[in-house]
Amino acid sequence: MEMWLKEMQIEGAAMTYKVKETLVRKKTQYQDLAIVDTDVFGRMLVLDGIVQTTIKDEFVYHEMITHIPLFTHPNPKKVLVVGGGDGGAIREILKHPSVEKAVLCEIDGDVIEECKKYLPEISCALDDPRCEIFVGDGIQYVKEHKNEFDVIIVDSTDPFSIAEGLFGGNFYKDIYNALTEDGIFVAQTETPFYLPETVKKVFNDARNIFPVTKLFMAAIPTYPGGYWSFTIGSKKYDPTQVDTTKIPELDTKYYTPEIHKACFVLPKYIQELVK
Ligand code: AAT
């Protein structure tokens, strides 16, 4: 019998994936967690029926959410990831030799454990001595840390239930305070195609707090709309003004210095949202 996973990407439109095998399915304290193996995208982490990351296309998201801010900051030493229990962002952060410490603050310990077990290609750096893992709510964690991180990366689920508070002005204020005086933050900020109002609101919330705020885009096949937005807020450095000729070679599959410049070039319908 054929098994298919259906993700409702938006009311009235869904993506379906042929599933070879379900490796784990459990109700955690916070969400319905599954890791399944699929024909086309390989293994994938699914939370509350929504695809979070897949072996085949995770590189796009994890490279872009990390290397854009880390190559904008001239000397990032201490980095925080909120969410991101799969470890993909941590793996990319630790490719930067300047980084001394990367803290992961993930609310759901089961995500970390199951990804370590079934997605080793993604979670492989979680055991690195420079990585410190904290299981708890990112909202609380960020409130309790001041003037500490050079870069904060919000690698969160969509803005509902446990992740709702990770989108918006109150959280961004706490992030501003948790950053050092030339710190930078970046967040995954959903699909401008299906959720233009969300992108617009979140961007304006960030713009009210950070002196430099920019939106950039990347093509991610398994995320709704296939074309995903990230919002970057910076106290000092402008990510669009980086001297990309000075960016050192890194082992990546999507990110290049040219992409660093190009990802900030927005189609007209997205420009309208961040005017
Ligand atoms: N690296 C790509 C995967 C993710 S998963 C996002 C993680 O955020 C989940 O493991 C979830 O448990 C965690 N999370 C949610 N809310 C909080 C919180 N309040 N504090 C800390 N961690 C939290 C991102 C996928 C993007 C999907 C786009 N459709």
Side-chain angles (χ1 to χ4, degrees):
M1 190 177 63
E2 282 189 1
M3 297 280 281
W4 288 77
L5 167 74
K6 177 167 106 180
E7 175 186 336
M8 291 304 297
Q9 292 204 324
I10 190 95
E11 198 51 45
M15 267 285 261
T16 52
Y17 304 93
K18 191 161 166 225
V19 173
K20 281 204 273 218
E21 190 186 356
T22 299
L23 298 152
V24 58
R25 173 93 196 262
K26 59 155 101 159
K27 289 249 185 281
T28 73
Q29 193 185 338
Y30 297 100
Q31 47 211 342
D32 174 342
L33 179 155
I35 297 179
V36 299
D37 193 12
T38 65
D39 279 7
V40 177
F41 286 94
R43 292 184 177 190
M44 47 169 77
L45 169 68
V46 184
L47 296 174
D48 291 336
I50 295 169
V51 175
Q52 305 293 315
T53 196
T54 85
I55 292 296
K56 182 100 175 169
D57 71 351
E58 59 90 7
F59 68 97
V60 183
Y61 178 88
H62 292 128
E63 289 182 17
M64 292 301 279
I65 203 168
T66 55
H67 301 316
I68 298 291
L70 286 162
F71 279 131
T72 298
H73 195 289
N75 189 25
K77 288 192 182 136
K78 197 162 177 192
V79 182
L80 169 68
V81 176
V82 174
D86 53 83
I90 293 285
R91 183 195 64 205
E92 294 303 313
I93 290 163
L94 293 177
K95 288 180 181 172
H96 290 253
S98 67
V99 172
E100 293 165 2
K101 193 176 216 182
V103 179
L104 180 81
C105 174
E106 160 66 57
I107 201 167
D108 193 339
D110 285 310
V111 172
I112 302 171
E113 287 320 308
E114 300 302 340
C115 290
K116 275 191 175 172
K117 204 150 139 197
Y118 294 110
L119 302 173
E121 302 89 334
I122 302 176
S123 59
C124 51
L126 291 174
D127 292 326
D128 188 293
R130 288 168 296 164
C131 174
E132 183 184 305
I133 297 176
F134 177 83
V135 176
D137 188 350
I139 299 170
Q140 203 53 38
Y141 187 91
V142 168
K143 259 197 217 322
E144 286 163 6
H145 292 256
K146 304 260 182 270
N147 191 25
E148 189 173 327
F149 296 98
D150 301 306
V151 176
I152 297 179
I153 293 169
V154 184
D155 177 7
S156 76
T157 37
D158 302 321
F160 318 106
S161 83
I162 49 171
E164 198 171 347
L166 299 177
F167 291 77
N170 290 337
F171 183 56
Y172 297 159
K173 249 181 241 148
D174 291 335
I175 288 209
Y176 185 96
N177 293 327
L179 287 166
T180 51
E181 90 277 343
D182 60 353
I184 302 178
F185 115 99
V186 66
Q188 74 83 357
T189 48
E190 305 291 311
T191 161
F193 189 79
Y194 288 132
L195 300 175
E197 290 310 317
T198 303
V199 173
K200 190 173 175 170
K201 182 194 167 290
V202 164
F203 187 83
N204 279 325
D205 286 348
R207 179 156 55 190
N208 285 336
I209 292 160
F210 287 89
V212 184
T213 311
K214 303 277 173 188
L215 194 85
F216 64 93
M217 302 293 302
I220 305 172
T222 57
Y223 286 179
Y227 188 46
W228 205 250
S229 80
F230 300 84
T231 298
I232 190 161
S234 174
K235 290 191 182 179
K236 188 168 171 190
Y237 311 109
D238 184 335
T240 65
Q241 300 303 316
V242 171
D243 182 355
T244 50
T245 61
K246 299 222 165 73
I247 293 178
E249 182 60 34
L250 207 65
D251 172 28
T252 57
K253 286 197 280 184
Y254 190 91
Y255 179 89
T256 65
E258 290 75 23
I259 286 285
H260 190 120
K261 278 195 259 177
C263 69
F264 292 97
V265 178
L266 304 174
K268 226 171 178 178
Y269 80 98
I270 303 176
Q271 279 180 36
E272 294 295 320
L273 302 176
V274 297
K275 257 197 325 215

